[in-house]
Amino acid sequence: MTKHFGPLVALDNVSIRFEPGSLHAILGENGAGKSTLVKCMMGYYRPDAGDIFVSGEKHAINNPRHAHQLGLGMVYQHFTLVPSMTVAENLILGEAQLPPIIPWEAERERIEEFQRTMPFKLDLDRPVASLAAGEKQKLEILKQLFLGRRVLILDEPTTVLTPAEADQILGLMRGMAGNQQLTVILITHKLREVLDFAGDVTVLRAGRRVGGGAAKDLASEELVRMMIGAGKIARAATRVETPTNAAYLDLRDLTVENDNGLMAVRGVSLQVRAGEIVGVAGVSGNGQRELVEALAGQRQPASGEMFVRGAVYSPRRGEMRQRKVFLLPEEPLRNACVGVMSVAENLAFRNFDEPRNTRYRWLISRRAIRGQALDLIDRYGIKAQGAEARLETLSGGNVQRTVLARELCEEVSVLVAQNPCSGLDFAAVAEIRSQLMDARNRGAAVLLISEDLDELLELADRIVVMFEGKFVYETPRDQADVQTIGRYMASPT
Amino acid sequence: MVGSRAKSGVEAVAISAAALLATLVLFGAFVALRGINPFDVYRVLYLGAFGSWFAIQHTLTQAAPLMLTALCTAVPARAGLLVIGGEGALVVGGVATVLVGVTLMGVPAPVAIALMCMTGTLAGGLWIGAAGALRHYRGVHETISTLLLNYIAIAVMNHLVTGPIRDFSQVLKPASWSVGERFMIGDLPGTSIHWGLAFGVVTCLLVYVLMRRTTFGFAVDILGGNVRAAQMVGLPIGPLVLSTCVIGGAAAGLAGTIEVIAVHGFASASLAVGYGYAGILVAFLARHNPMAIILIATLLGGISASGGLLQRRFDLPDAATLVLRGILFLAVLASSTLYGRLKIFQSRAV
């Protein structure tokens, strides 16, 4: 199969055979062509060349509905459930032909009948909003099976799950595939999932199939080499011993409400010392976003105080500059940049009003801003069509590099980073992690909020677990244990 | 790389031209339905707007207030607000000018004129600034509030000119006291275009420099581009929102002053003849760029200026030019969805 987007070859002559009753992993970095491949299968895109055979018959899949009729179903990374409706209602919702008046009793019987054949059960009357992430994922899978799909595509299913939930779901899927109940295609960039659960694996890189086979025959080093090719990986970040310093960032009893006026952060207190990375672990949606927004000045805390270098801090421009507080929020295009402004302008957000970038105090010096941009583009390896290119034309990794360059190019006292590596490829991830470590080694207090436990275990000096708006567990780096942390992420009691 | 900026400039021009063409086709169909040759209409439209020195003077006179009221929408738009209160700000500016003007009997004319300009500017600025404050501190949507403020402004003016400040020597229609012949600013030398044109052009140029060259303009661009990014780098959101509203309102208020001291000499219902609403159209057509506003206001001024001629020549109803404006506005709004979608203007992702 081949698919071009303009001059970009997203898929280049990729052929894959999915055996019935197998759990087949498609492994690759972001941008390797995994999503393009499955979107072609589901009928969202049309391949420029190549054919799809389902059970030996050739089909041109024109739209998702057509794919559904052929028994192909997809579970998306982000849930497509209606939170205010019950489990049963959500199951019925997806049916192609629903009568105007729903015969609830008959449908319920049908669902219960169906659930008996399944290896796991959910309470049909619970509203989806009250389900944990793992249960929602199960419901998504149930829904696909209930609708009679025989081939299930799971797109990065474990990003929103705790390690235990992830193991459970993948174990179930492997079991069901083993019983010949269905064929599972697992899209992932996590090696561990492939090695532990997949029967077969196909590795994609830059749109090409670069290798694959039975998972048990492949070693992890081999898979990594296939995924990243000859590309160079930045040196691993080295942790330098730092003395026990004073707390640079000090949160005292901070409470923050979410958009609905509910308490998202419930009276948390935390100190981050200079030269220390404190990692905040937790399943997404437990108040991390609101916490970062409060630190970033995007949300007013309901109560509590923030101290930076010993004095009360309110996130305003003058104080940010004076106390040297910087941020790397998640989704940089949404939180930290303006897509329609140029790379040079985005790089100047922190200092466009400082004397070196102005003339006569009030006039912007375009030349100074351009000079600063060219320097940063060079130093941080930002790939852009020049300093004047609109930021939204850059790839995700380069947008993140742009923000990183802006936030780390000056002396940093406090750095707040949230999921700084999500959606980036190996090389970018390694580079950004080593930049964070460097900032720490230079004496910054780093608060790292991440959904990626491996990232926290690699970088953090201390890990706290956030659950339902509170810090429920804390462990120093040398005593950190994945199982224990995972247990607190799921439920602290 | 060279040309990324130039390319988006070409894109803006091409899309605006397409919208204009679509408008001409649709309005042509409209007049053709009445059995009139559209090409004749467009020829007369051109002659009425730019065909003679007389027509050009008329056009520029019409364009002057549009430049100022367009800024009332364009400046807040750069901060991401949609303000449509130019009409109200103009009326408030005009009424305030009269109220202050009539008290300045013994004052030398240049001083009085300066004071009246400041009054109109201040009144308009506070008027739209209030909408900005409601938006920032109370979450009231600025489009709704400025629309309602238009009605309030017109109602207040009608109340004043039919009662408290009515000049009973004006018998044809209710009007306020006059500011007096001594305070009228008159025409540009050697023309019949009043000084308002100079005010309009100079204000647009000043606002252009403010929005494109200063740190203030840069901060407003960040805010308009992404409020969350603006918060993250600690920009003062409230003051920025308020300033853009005050600047926009001030421009429209100045238009009101000029209507009084260059055209009417008093406040009356003829202040609220739609310059404020036409200004919204100008701002959108100009994509909120103050330099482009000068050009677009002139074009739109031409359409209004030739309205009378169209009416007489083809027996078209008075509202025909309004139909033309309405079609133009819809075409421009519809075309704005094309930005970033046309392949030839896309620079490739790296």
Side-chain angles (χ1 to χ4, degrees):
Chain A
M1 219 176 335
T2 300
K3 172 76 193 170
H4 298 268
F5 292 107
L8 184 81
V9 184
L11 276 183
D12 188 5
N13 265 317
V14 173
S15 298
I16 307 182
R17 191 181 150 81
F18 301 103
E19 297 294 337
S22 68
L23 198 162
H24 192 129
I26 299 179
L27 184 67
E29 294 202 64
N30 283 78
K34 293 170 300 186
S35 340
T36 311
L37 177 75
V38 294
K39 280 181 179 160
C40 286
M41 289 169 65
M42 290 303 293
Y44 289 104
Y45 295 152
R46 265 190 206 204
D48 297 322
D51 301 304
I52 300 171
F53 294 86
V54 181
S55 311
E57 270 175 62
K58 182 170 154 183
H59 290 278
I61 299 176
N62 296 323
N63 53 48
R65 183 164 294 215
H66 189 181
H68 293 161
Q69 281 161 5
L70 293 170
L72 302 177
M74 180 147 171
V75 176
Y76 298 89
Q77 211 174 75
H78 298 283
F79 301 125
T80 56
L81 302 166
V82 184
S84 58
M85 294 170 83
T86 66
V87 171
E89 286 167 335
N90 268 287
L91 281 174
I92 304 290
L93 203 66
E95 278 193 84
Q97 276 152 3
L98 207 55
I101 296 171
I102 301 171
W104 274 112
E105 296 201 350
E107 291 289 350
R108 267 198 86 94
E109 234 161 79
R110 222 157 60 79
I111 296 173
E112 273 162 21
E113 181 90 4
F114 162 77
Q115 272 219 9
R116 273 195 282 278
T117 66
M118 289 291 122
F120 52 93
K121 287 197 176 21
L122 290 169
D123 181 354
L124 295 180
D125 294 317
R126 273 177 70 190
V128 165
S130 73
L131 300 180
E135 292 174 305
K136 287 183 190 161
Q137 188 89 54
K138 283 182 196 164
L139 176 55
E140 289 275 10
I141 292 167
L142 271 186
K143 190 167 110 186
Q144 295 299 325
L145 298 176
F146 181 65
L147 298 172
R149 312 275 152 78
R150 293 169 296 146
V151 178
L152 209 52
I153 302 170
L154 304 176
D155 185 8
E156 305 268 0
T158 57
T159 13
V160 290
L161 304 181
T162 63
E165 284 175 327
D167 286 355
Q168 194 197 8
I169 295 266
L170 290 176
L172 282 170
M173 297 319 296
R174 182 176 55 186
M176 292 176 77
N179 298 340
Q180 302 288 313
Q181 273 173 301
L182 78 167
T183 306
V184 180
I185 301 171
L186 171 69
I187 299 167
T188 184
H189 64 267
K190 293 185 186 161
L191 277 178
R192 192 186 64 85
E193 293 175 358
V194 174
L195 295 171
D196 288 358
F197 295 99
D200 303 301
V201 56
T202 297
V203 184
L204 295 183
R205 186 176 78 235
R208 296 217 180 102
R209 183 184 185 281
V210 287
K216 61 178 179 352
D217 302 337
L218 293 163
S220 65
E221 297 79 42
E222 222 172 324
L223 288 172
V224 170
R225 221 184 38 247
M226 287 183 202
M227 276 168 80
I228 60 171
K232 241 193 349 217
I233 294 221
R235 69 192 160 73
T238 16
R239 182 179 305 273
V240 176
E241 279 310 312
T242 48
T244 309
N245 294 315
Y248 266 10
L249 177 67
D250 185 358
L251 309 178
R252 294 189 195 165
D253 221 12
L254 195 67
T255 297
V256 190
E257 290 177 350
N258 67 10
D259 289 335
N260 302 323
L262 301 173
M263 297 246 276
V265 179
R266 301 158 182 256
V268 301
S269 298
L270 181 69
Q271 293 196 336
V272 188
R273 288 192 299 275
E276 180 188 42
I277 298 181
V278 172
V280 177
V283 179
S284 105
N286 275 294
Q288 297 98 323
R289 164 175 293 189
E290 287 78 7
L291 175 64
V292 173
E293 285 175 342
L295 288 163
Q298 293 171 334
R299 192 177 284 277
Q300 189 76 28
S303 67
E305 279 170 318
M306 298 183 270
F307 288 76
V308 171
R309 301 178 76 169
V312 177
Y313 171 73
S314 61
R316 285 197 295 262
R317 198 167 177 82
E319 291 193 24
M320 284 178 180
R321 184 170 295 164
Q322 192 205 341
R323 316 262 187 95
K324 304 183 175 63
V325 179
F326 294 92
L327 292 124
L328 293 173
E330 63 178 353
E331 299 177 68
L333 271 178
R334 180 170 172 272
N335 281 312
C337 306
V338 177
V340 294
M341 291 173 85
S342 72
V343 177
E345 287 169 329
N346 273 283
L347 284 169
F349 279 9
R350 285 282 181 198
N351 57 21
F352 67 88
D353 47 359
E354 282 177 19
R356 64 193 149 112
N357 284 329
T358 55
R359 288 176 297 149
Y360 311 114
R361 183 129 185 246
W362 301 113
L363 295 186
I364 295 259
S365 163
R366 293 272 160 195
R367 179 193 283 190
I369 283 180
R370 193 180 154 75
Q372 158 178 297
L374 292 175
D375 173 46
L376 289 177
I377 286 173
D378 186 47
R379 263 167 58 199
Y380 286 82
I382 301 165
K383 291 198 197 74
Q385 295 184 323
E388 298 302 321
R390 279 210 299 250
L391 191 75
E392 63 193 2
T393 63
L394 272 58
S395 68
N398 284 305
V399 171
Q400 185 66 295
R401 275 192 199 100
T402 306
V403 180
L404 194 77
R406 181 180 82 205
E407 302 292 315
L408 290 185
C409 68
E410 291 168 46
E411 195 195 329
V412 179
S413 293
V414 172
L415 179 68
V416 178
Q418 184 186 18
N419 296 322
C421 300
S422 84
L424 303 185
D425 60 33
F426 265 107
V429 166
E431 184 190 316
I432 284 168
R433 286 184 186 166
S434 79
Q435 294 271 8
L436 291 177
M437 187 56 86
D438 279 346
R440 167 201 176 274
N441 293 342
R442 285 199 305 266
V446 181
L447 183 63
L448 173 64
I449 293 111
S450 179
E451 284 156 29
D452 183 347
L453 208 45
D454 296 334
E455 176 167 275
L456 294 173
L457 291 169
E458 179 189 332
L459 294 176
D461 296 286
R462 219 160 20 112
I463 294 178
V464 296
V465 176
M466 194 166 189
F467 180 78
E468 292 188 347
K470 287 187 181 145
F471 293 148
V472 291
Y473 178 69
E474 181 178 330
T475 172
R477 162 191 178 74
D478 45 15
Q479 289 161 30
D481 167 54
V482 184
Q483 295 308 320
T484 319
I485 293 174
R487 210 172 59 239
Y488 278 98
M489 281 165 70
S491 135
T493 43
Chain B
M1 194 173 291
V2 218
S4 153
R5 201 160 270 257
K7 228 172 189 180
S8 64
V10 174
E11 181 184 28
V13 171
I15 290 177
S16 302
L20 199 61
L21 191 69
T23 309
L24 293 182
V25 170
L26 286 173
F27 186 69
F30 169 75
V31 294
L33 277 178
R34 297 180 58 93
I36 303 167
N37 182 347
F39 294 101
D40 286 346
V41 171
Y42 290 135
R43 198 174 51 83
V44 170
L45 195 66
Y46 173 76
L47 289 178
F50 305 105
S52 62
W53 175 229
F54 172 80
I56 290 175
Q57 294 188 70
H58 190 189
T59 294
L60 290 176
T61 304
Q62 292 281 323
L66 294 183
M67 292 178 194
L68 293 170
T69 53
L71 290 175
C72 187
T73 298
V75 178
R78 297 206 76 94
L81 306 180
L82 177 51
V83 165
I84 57 171
E87 189 86 358
L90 183 149
V91 166
V92 166
V95 170
T97 302
V98 170
L99 290 178
V100 169
V102 294
T103 65
L104 297 174
M105 279 312 163
V107 180
V111 177
I113 289 170
L115 281 175
M116 285 191 288
C117 286
M118 278 192 264
T119 307
T121 308
L122 193 68
L126 290 178
W127 193 250
I128 302 299
L134 280 172
R135 161 66 195 241
H136 183 69
Y137 297 107
R138 281 279 158 267
V140 180
H141 200 283
E142 75 283 355
T143 312
I144 307 294
S145 65
T146 51
L147 177 67
L148 297 177
L149 281 172
N150 285 345
Y151 296 123
I152 294 173
I154 293 169
V156 167
M157 176 191 68
N158 283 335
H159 165 69
L160 289 175
V161 302
T162 53
I165 61 167
R166 178 163 189 181
D167 178 357
F168 286 95
S169 65
Q170 300 253 14
V171 286
L172 289 175
K173 56 179 179 182
S176 73
W177 306 315
S178 291
V179 293
E181 198 54 41
R182 205 162 60 87
F183 294 163
M184 298 297 282
I185 55 176
D187 294 336
L188 292 164
T191 69
S192 64
I193 310 165
H194 62 67
W195 273 97
L197 180 67
F199 279 86
V201 171
V202 169
T203 308
C204 280
L205 292 177
L206 285 177
V207 172
Y208 179 83
V209 171
L210 179 70
M211 302 313 284
R212 287 303 177 89
R213 294 275 176 266
T214 65
T215 52
F216 170 79
F218 195 89
V220 169
D221 276 349
I222 298 175
L223 171 60
N226 183 351
V227 62
R228 297 176 64 85
Q231 289 168 326
M232 189 204 119
V233 294
L235 294 174
I237 310 297
L240 287 173
V241 164
L242 282 179
S243 327
T244 56
C245 287
V246 167
I247 292 168
L254 181 61
T257 301
I258 284 162
E259 283 298 292
V260 169
I261 64 174
V263 183
H264 305 292
F266 49 80
S268 74
S270 44
L271 283 180
V273 290
Y275 287 130
Y277 293 114
I280 302 168
L281 173 54
V282 173
F284 271 85
L285 266 172
R287 305 209 77 215
H288 313 305
N289 177 334
M291 291 282 250
I293 282 175
I294 299 177
L295 194 74
I296 304 288
T298 309
L299 270 173
L300 263 278
I303 294 181
S304 334
S306 56
L309 191 59
L310 279 185
Q311 202 180 334
R312 286 194 300 279
R313 188 72 68 82
F314 300 106
D315 195 24
L316 277 167
D318 193 22
T321 55
L322 288 182
V323 173
L324 178 54
R325 265 193 207 169
I327 295 176
L328 186 57
F329 197 19
L330 284 179
V332 167
L333 287 184
S335 74
S336 64
T337 61
L338 291 176
Y339 284 93
R341 293 230 189 140
L342 299 180
K343 280 228 173 87
I344 48 170
F345 299 117
Q346 304 263 307
S347 30
R348 260 178 298 131
V350 181

